[in-house]
Amino acid sequence: MDPIALVRQQTRAQHLRVERLVPLALTPLTLPYYRQLLATFLGIFQPLESILSNLPVPADLQLAGRQRSHLLVLDLQRLGLAPDAIHALPRCADLPRPATLPQILGLMYVTEGSTLGGQYISRLVLQHLALDETSGCAFFSSHRAEVLPMWQRFCAIVRAEVADDLTQQEFVSSALSTFLAFEHWIERSLPLSSPE
Ligand code: HEM
């Protein structure tokens, strides 16, 4: 089976759980809630990206250009947080440690896939808070017109590298544990409704 179709099917329920923990469309999106959302994402994206940058990620994945946690720092600064307050925000320590290429790709499936949802979130943020990529919504707006081509390049690499049953298993179970880390972290860090 196509590894992307397989992982999408196997993680669908987890994606839904994560979406429910970030109920952007249900409550009026407020600035304090949005700031907390950015802080929550920084707390997990930054350590995940630093794990990845210490791994032998193949050059054709163009990891540096895919990393986005610096944009969370930028957004938080633009929304008034001082650098030492950003530095002091909690970071997630309970994260998967991929060791093989299929496991690296499984982790990246989750971080790269989240750029697709980012397009939807950036539209909501613009609509409700009038913030765009220059004024506090750089993270969710990242890659802009490149989102789909970058996602397709990532999927092509996965299809080339994750071919047999064993690598598919490693790929999918790494994506599952990454989703689970997100779920636990968001559950702990973000209120379920917008603070006024
Ligand atoms: C409220 C928050 C979120 C919303 C509304 C949302 C929404 C979406 C949407 C609309 C897509 C595109 C589906 C498609 O084109 O078929 C998508 C894809 C995806 N999202 Fe999210 N998302 C959210 C949060 C997240 C988070 C936090 C993660 C990572 C932990 C994530 C991981 C993914 C993945 C991996 C895909 C790719 C699925 C695939 O095509 O294989 N999403 N999301």
Side-chain angles (χ1 to χ4, degrees):
M1 185 173 180
D2 171 55
I4 296 293
L6 178 70
V7 75
R8 185 179 295 140
Q9 181 203 78
Q10 299 281 315
T11 59
R12 186 165 293 142
Q14 283 197 315
H15 186 276
L16 260 180
R17 279 204 292 276
V18 168
E19 265 190 65
R20 285 201 195 104
L21 291 172
V22 189
L24 294 176
L26 292 183
T27 48
L29 182 58
T30 64
L31 196 56
Y33 181 84
Y34 176 60
R35 236 190 254 124
Q36 261 177 304
L37 179 66
L38 294 172
T40 299
F41 276 19
L42 179 69
I44 185 158
F45 269 93
Q46 200 172 58
L48 271 181
E49 289 187 352
S50 109
I51 287 174
L52 279 174
S53 50
N54 287 305
L55 287 167
V57 177
D60 59 351
L61 276 165
Q62 296 178 310
L63 185 66
R66 292 182 182 275
Q67 299 222 313
R68 294 178 290 142
S69 64
H70 61 284
L71 299 175
L72 288 163
V73 173
L74 193 68
D75 287 339
L76 285 164
Q77 278 173 347
R78 283 183 174 144
L79 297 180
L81 256 80
D84 52 350
I86 296 173
H87 186 73
L89 289 170
R91 304 298 198 271
C92 179
D94 192 9
L95 290 171
R97 305 271 159 180
T100 64
L101 182 55
Q103 288 169 355
I104 291 172
L105 293 170
L107 188 159
M108 286 184 72
Y109 167 77
V110 181
T111 53
E112 289 305 302
S114 73
T115 60
L116 303 176
Q119 295 187 306
Y120 164 79
I121 295 173
S122 63
R123 277 196 299 276
L124 275 184
V125 172
L126 183 65
Q127 204 181 323
H128 291 280
L129 303 174
L131 301 176
D132 63 21
E133 64 176 330
T134 64
S135 54
C137 192
F139 176 78
F140 291 113
S141 315
S142 51
H143 308 331
R144 295 167 55 88
E146 281 294 298
V147 167
L148 269 188
M150 284 177 74
W151 171 245
Q152 281 155 0
R153 277 199 294 278
F154 173 75
C155 291
I157 294 171
V158 169
R159 290 188 175 107
E161 298 290 344
V162 179
D164 57 53
D165 281 359
L166 188 68
T167 50
Q168 284 206 348
Q169 258 173 38
E170 282 189 15
F171 170 64
V172 170
S173 77
S174 170
L176 283 167
S177 19
T178 307
F179 257 120
L180 205 62
F182 267 93
E183 188 185 337
H184 288 162
W185 178 250
I186 296 173
E187 219 164 28
R188 259 183 289 156
S189 316
L190 194 68
L192 260 178
S193 60
S194 281
E196 293 307 321

